[in-house]
Amino acid sequence: MSESVHTNTSLRSKGMMAVLCAQFLSAFGDNALLFATLALMKEQFYPDWSQPILQMVFVGAYILFAPFVGQFADSFPKGRVMMVANGMKLIGAASICVGVNPFIGYTLVGVGAAAYSPAKYGILGELTTGDKLVKANGMMESSTIAAILLGSVAGGVLADWHVLAALGVCALVYAGAVVANLFITRLPAARSGQSWRFNAMTGSFFSACKTLWHSSETRFSLVGTSLFWGAGVTLRFLLVLWVPAALGITDNATPTYLNAMVAVGIVVGAGAAARLVTLETVARCMPAGVLIGIAVVIFALQHALLPAYVLLLLLGVCGGFFVVPLNALLQERGKHTVGAGNAIAVQNLGENSAMLIMLGLYSLAVMVGIPVVGVGIGFGTLFAVAIIVLWAWKGKV
């Protein structure tokens, strides 16, 4: 597709709206399914430290399939790739509904999510370009966070009513995402005709890793987004244990309401980033990253709902402002070097490796009995320090 086609594609086109609709339904299902499955594990008396393990098997799929999903996304029309991936999520959710071990079912969902991610972000670079790409990322993040907001709450509320019903709703939402994918504009494959031999695919992937890591801009983006999403997924599980410890509330819904406040904030922050940050001024997002860590530390010390809501809203605003420009930078630079799908696959490897490490450390901390408030303080402090180091590193390159 020519550059002129990219440039003239409207952010309100039918293709873009179909992408956003499919993404909303898919992300809604992901977040509702997580809380519904956690409720199922709680009902079946799984230990607290096993909760992060559920997410670890999910992100493990991203890491295992990282060398292949980028080429998969670039070798076929991305709308069809998204449809196949959502179909895999549907199978995983349905299997949990019928009694398959939740770790197995959630792993299948992770495989679908791993294939879905390079396509959903890569297609943005095929529908638009330049500073419009930052705005498109803002729309994508807003759609995603709206889905996190509603999906998380729906998963918790439905699980308090009936766990199996919550799981069934998740499967139906994934089915809706599959249908929505049919309406995405059928674009030509970005890089058709690539070799499907194992050695060639892994070699191509690690070559893309090397190319992106050697560029100061894409390396900066990869590290920043990896830190952000590793922290984000750990915070989600921290909330599940923090609510009963700090507030004395034991239902399934309250942690989802708190997660929803983060989601609302990210929508606001993503919108602000689309207006205030360009690809040339990406460093403007860094103070927001430091504030994320500070907000987590202050949040961990709270014992009332109102200040907790306010702090999580602020944390979300900072998160949206921080991550959207970094995503856009990687997509734009990656599109012209290794292909958008491969760039996002490399990003997924970094982000999910960070998630796996942070979740593993969190699970270990819970297992050895560190109080959840202490975990939150340490976690927030380390995150703020990491962003300061990244900021200083960016200034030297």
Side-chain angles (χ1 to χ4, degrees), residues 82-95:
M82 293 166 69
M83 183 176 67
V84 171
N86 278 323
M88 181 63 72
K89 292 184 180 184
L90 171 59
I91 293 171
S95 69

Side-chain angles (χ1 to χ4, degrees), residues 234-244 255 258-259 299 312:
T234 307
L235 176 64
R236 171 167 285 191
F237 286 90
L238 179 69
L239 286 174
V240 172
L241 296 186
W242 180 87
V243 167
L258 291 167
N259 270 290
F299 166 80
L312 288 175

